[in-house]
Amino acid sequence: MHAEAGAAADEVRWVMPGRVLARIASCAGGWGALTVMPAPLQALCDEGTLRDVRLAADALVTRWGAMPGEGARAVAGRSTTDVSAVGDVSAAAAARSVGAERRQRDREGARVEAAVRASVAEPRAAWRVRATGEGDVLEQVRTLVDGPVAAMLRRHGGRIRLLGVTESAGGIDVRVRLGGTCRGCPVAQLDLTGRVRRMLRRECPQVRRVTAG
């Protein structure tokens, strides 16, 4: 297992073998946002360290409840303002603030990694994904992209990541990032983007356009 940056600044993707994720999906009832998860991850959600956890075909995706270092940045900002008022801002104080932020980020990251590893290693753990309502378009698209669409691309050596969903009167525009064997090949990207659009439209007819960025 290894960590990758997600599409959003508050996301971390914990990439692990597909068979492990498929086992979790079979217990959880599919792919998408988790409402029930093992105790180590649930504890981090309950305390606010994590906002939510999502099951994708190629990773377990966590989102920070409060970005690591936000507290340190806030304290550092207040300190700088106070000290500026008396005209005494030092480079040493700034360096200490940056160092404290980095240490906090490392500690929080290590806690999340330990919780993910412990949760995945528990064979009898309870997992459950949230049932998606018809009106929850973003979650519906995200679940489709993370689940069957990602699984289809993986069979062809490709990867996909959802970048954003825009709703308008004319329909829904979906932005994705394609990787793997399709990266850098305009023909492959055009073909796969069309296939992704068709798959999404079968379950979510409001999807009007899919673009790869």
Side-chain angles (χ1 to χ4, degrees), residues 34-54:
L34 291 161
T35 56
V36 177
M37 63 197 82
L41 280 173
Q42 187 63 59
L44 293 180
C45 291
D46 291 343
E47 71 182 34
T49 298
L50 294 180
R51 181 181 307 171
D52 57 44
V53 182
R54 197 172 73 253

Side-chain angles (χ1 to χ4, degrees), residues 21 25 44 47 54 67 76 78 83 93 105 117-118 125 130 136 144 150 155 158 168 171 184 190 193 196 199:
L21 295 163
L44 293 180
E47 71 182 34
R54 197 172 73 253
M67 289 288 287
R78 288 196 298 272
V83 175
R105 185 170 60 243
R117 289 186 181 278
R130 183 173 67 201
D136 194 354
L144 290 168
R155 289 195 294 271
S168 66
L190 184 62
T193 300
V196 169
M199 289 186 71

Side-chain angles (χ1 to χ4, degrees), residues 130-203:
R130 183 173 67 201
T132 303
E134 291 183 2
D136 194 354
V137 176
L138 175 58
E139 188 59 37
Q140 189 175 3
V141 171
R142 190 188 297 276
T143 299
L144 290 168
V145 169
D146 285 345
V149 174
M152 180 272 291
L153 289 178
R154 287 183 65 191
R155 289 195 294 271
H156 297 279
R159 297 192 305 273
I160 189 169
R161 184 173 298 176
L162 181 65
L163 298 180
V165 177
T166 304
E167 294 185 70
S168 66
I172 298 170
D173 293 339
V174 180
R175 292 184 300 109
V176 299
R177 178 173 297 151
L178 298 174
T181 56
C182 51
R183 184 177 182 181
C185 176
V187 175
Q189 290 217 357
L190 184 62
D191 176 61
L192 288 173
T193 300
R195 295 177 68 177
V196 169
R197 178 179 176 274
R198 288 191 293 274
M199 289 186 71
L200 289 176
R201 281 183 60 82
R202 278 201 297 268
E203 302 295 331

